[in-house]
Amino acid sequence: MEGGPSSPANRRDPYEVLSVSRDSTHQEIKAAYRKLTLKYHPEKIASNPEASELFKEVASSYSILSDPQKRRQYDSAGFESLDAEGMGMEIDLSNLGTVNTMFAALFSKLGVHIKTTISASVLEEALNGTVTVRPLPMGTSLSGKVDRQCAHFFGVIINEQQAEAGVEVIVTSTAQSKFKLLYFEQDVNGGYGLALQEDSERMGKVTSAGMYILHFQVYRMDSTVNALATVKDPEASFFRRLEGLHPCEVLELKAGTHLFAVYGDNFFKAATYTIEAVCAKSYEETTHKFRDIEAQILRKRNELHQFETEYQKVLFPSVNFFIHYAVILSNNYRIT
C-alpha cells in the first residue's frame, strides 16, 4: 500500500495512533495496544486491504511508546530524535527481503551500526502471556541457541536478601552472535510488557550485554542522543559527549519471579548464548567501584556544562569583535 499510514511521509503521532494521552502510564499504553492489535489483526479482517498497514502502524507506535528510551527521545524531539537523519533508526528484520537483509549484514560487517527493532510477534506473545518461561536459578547459567527474531524467556526467582543487594543478569556469546537482553514487567492482566532492553556489544573475543539492577541508581548511555546532538550542532558536540547518560528506568526488583529474555538479532543465523543471573552481594567490592565510577562520570558531565557556559562567554565577544573588525575593513575597502 503505497503512501500508507506507516510510510515516513505520513507518520502519525504514536499517541494519536494508540488513542492515549502523553501522560499515559505503561499499563494504559499496553491496554490500548492490545485492543488495537485485535481490531486490526490481518488474519481476523482479511477482507480489509488496509488492515496490514494499520496493524504495522499500531505495532510501530507501540514499539516507540513501550520502550522508555525511545519514548523519552520522541517526547523531547519527535521523530527527528529517532531518525537523526538515518542515525538511530531501527529496522524490523522480519519485514526485510533477502536482498535488503544481505545489504544490512554487509554494512554491519563493515562497521556500520545497524539498529534493529524487536519483532511485533514477540512483544505480542509476551503481552498475551503465552510465552514459554524457563527457570534460571540465581547463581547459575544456561546456554542455548535462539533463532533470529525469536526470544527465549527466563524466570529468575530472587529472595528478599538478593533483592536488597541487587541483581545482575549477563549474557555472553563466544560465537560473537548479535542479540538483545530484555527485561519484562508483569501487568495486572497476567501478560508481560517490555521495560528494559540492552543490545549486545563486542567485548574482546565475545559479544555481551548486561543489566545491573542494584540498590542505587544505575545509569545507561544512549548513544543516539549524542549522535543527534552532533548533527544539530557539530561545534557543541564536544560538550554533549555525556548527554546520552540517563538513569535506568527500573530502580529495584522486588522479591519474586522476574522475566528476562534473550532475543536473536543475527541477520541470517541463530544466536548462541550463555545467560547467568547473580546476586550483586557476591561482587560487593566491584559494585562499590561501579557506583564511584558513575558518580565521577556525572561530575564530569556537570563540569562539561560549566565549561561550555564559560566557553560561550569568551567566544561571543571574540566573534562580535571579528565581525565588527571585518565590517570596518569592508567599509575602508569600498572607500579606497
Side-chain angles (χ1 to χ4, degrees):
M1 180 178 173
E2 186 175 351
S6 60
S7 62
N10 300 319
R11 283 186 294 184
R12 290 195 294 153
D13 179 7
Y15 292 100
E16 177 187 344
V17 173
L18 297 182
S19 299
V20 295
S21 63
R22 286 187 169 267
D23 58 354
S24 295
T25 64
H26 190 57
Q27 298 292 341
E28 291 170 337
I29 291 172
K30 285 193 291 185
Y33 171 72
R34 284 187 176 192
K35 180 179 178 180
L36 291 172
T37 52
L38 291 174
K39 179 179 179 180
Y40 294 124
H41 201 292
E43 294 179 359
K44 295 186 177 182
I45 50 175
S47 59
N48 184 353
E50 294 185 355
S52 178
E53 287 298 324
L54 291 170
F55 184 80
K56 289 179 182 179
E57 185 182 36
V58 169
S60 175
S61 298
Y62 179 72
S63 71
I64 294 173
L65 300 186
S66 64
D67 186 319
Q69 176 179 314
K70 292 182 189 176
R71 184 179 182 182
R72 182 173 56 245
Q73 291 173 357
Y74 178 79
D75 287 345
S76 63
F79 286 116
E80 181 186 11
S81 63
L82 299 174
D83 296 343
E85 296 186 3
M87 293 182 300
M89 177 178 288
E90 296 189 347
I91 59 175
D92 185 352
L93 294 179
S94 61
N95 289 332
L96 289 183
T98 303
V99 175
N100 288 333
T101 302
M102 289 179 63
F103 275 114
L106 175 61
F107 282 121
S108 180
K109 285 289 186 181
L110 293 175
V112 178
H113 182 51
I114 306 295
K115 295 187 70 176
T116 56
T117 188
I118 303 168
S119 69
S121 60
V122 169
L123 294 177
E124 188 173 4
E125 288 176 3
L127 277 174
N128 293 332
T130 57
V131 297
T132 300
V133 181
R134 311 175 187 184
L136 177 62
M138 288 289 292
T140 65
S141 63
L142 292 174
S143 298
K145 179 182 289 188
V146 58
D147 290 333
R148 56 191 291 268
Q149 287 79 65
C150 294
H152 286 172
F153 290 82
F154 299 91
V156 179
I157 302 176
I158 63 176
N159 57 35
E160 293 286 354
Q161 292 75 20
Q162 292 165 340
E164 184 178 348
V167 175
E168 302 174 9
V169 177
I170 304 168
V171 182
T172 57
S173 172
T174 55
Q176 297 185 353
S177 297
K178 290 184 62 181
F179 58 86
K180 299 179 188 294
L181 173 59
L182 313 175
Y183 172 65
F184 292 82
E185 291 181 332
Q186 189 169 22
D187 61 24
V188 294
N189 297 318
Y192 298 90
L194 181 64
L196 289 178
Q197 169 184 325
E198 292 289 348
D199 288 7
S200 61
E201 294 184 2
R202 183 170 296 183
M203 306 288 289
K205 295 183 179 181
V206 303
T207 50
S208 66
M211 289 185 181
Y212 306 90
I213 305 173
L214 307 172
H215 54 281
F216 56 85
Q217 180 67 73
V218 175
Y219 288 80
R220 303 167 64 240
M221 178 61 76
D222 179 6
S223 58
T224 305
V225 174
N226 297 338
L228 181 61
T230 301
V231 171
K232 285 186 172 181
D233 191 353
E235 292 185 1
S237 61
F238 171 79
F239 304 104
R240 301 287 188 266
R241 296 284 180 99
L242 299 177
E243 285 303 295
L245 197 65
H246 293 293
C248 180
E249 293 81 4
V250 178
L251 299 179
E252 62 178 355
L253 296 182
K254 303 293 185 182
T257 302
H258 296 272
L259 190 68
F260 293 85
V262 180
Y263 179 84
D265 209 24
N266 278 336
F267 289 102
F268 292 105
K269 59 184 180 180
T272 59
Y273 65 87
T274 298
I275 181 172
E276 62 176 334
V278 297
C279 177
K281 186 71 174 178
S282 305
Y283 303 91
E284 194 167 6
E285 183 178 350
T286 302
T287 300
H288 287 311
K289 289 182 179 179
F290 181 71
R291 186 176 188 175
D292 291 340
I293 291 173
E294 282 199 336
Q296 293 177 32
I297 294 175
L298 290 173
R299 285 196 296 269
K300 291 297 181 183
R301 184 173 66 176
N302 292 333
E303 290 173 6
L304 279 174
H305 289 166
Q306 183 178 357
F307 181 43
E308 180 182 17
T309 301
E310 296 172 354
Y311 173 77
Q312 296 295 348
K313 287 181 179 178
V314 175
L315 177 65
F316 286 153
S318 301
V319 171
N320 290 333
F321 170 79
F322 282 115
I323 292 176
H324 180 69
Y325 185 67
V327 170
I328 294 175
L329 288 178
S330 177
N331 292 335
N332 290 339
Y333 177 76
R334 289 174 183 172
I335 295 174
T336 56

